[in-house]
Amino acid sequence: LTMVVVITGLAGRLFLRSRSVLCIWCLCCVAVFVLLAGASHSVVRAAIMCSLLIIAKSRLRRLHMPAVLFSSLVICTLHDPLC
């Protein structure tokens, strides 16, 4: 998933100038990857974490990895409490 984001981000920077359009492009590529890889719990959790990181980077925010991990945990638990 990390390679998907890096490759789409680099390719998007060549063609897209707007930071928000690049963010949307990367998020769409993450969603396509989840669909192609199968939406298992680990893939969905990684996609949520990657999406949170992409959004934070696009808004030029500092990242605190434990907060991103906890946010991903809360979102996954709210979505499927039994997993």
Side-chain angles (χ1 to χ4, degrees):
L1 185 59
T2 303
M3 293 304 295
V4 170
V5 172
V6 169
I7 291 171
T8 56
L10 291 176
R13 283 184 186 174
L14 293 175
F15 301 109
L16 304 171
R17 298 292 179 215
S18 172
R19 189 176 297 267
S20 60
V21 174
L22 181 61
C23 175
I24 293 170
W25 167 251
C26 288
L27 291 175
C28 288
C29 290
V30 168
V32 168
F33 176 81
V34 169
L35 293 175
L36 290 176
S40 66
H41 295 294
S42 60
V43 173
V44 171
R45 185 176 56 247
I48 291 171
M49 286 181 63
C50 239
S51 299
L52 291 173
L53 292 173
I54 290 170
I55 292 169
K57 282 287 200 180
S58 73
R59 299 198 180 260
L60 300 174
R61 301 281 184 185
R62 297 177 111 189
L63 300 175
H64 185 63
M65 289 307 291
V68 173
L69 184 61
F70 182 74
S71 299
S72 173
L73 173 84
V74 168
I75 292 169
C76 287
T77 304
L78 288 174
H79 179 264
D80 188 9
L82 298 177
C83 76

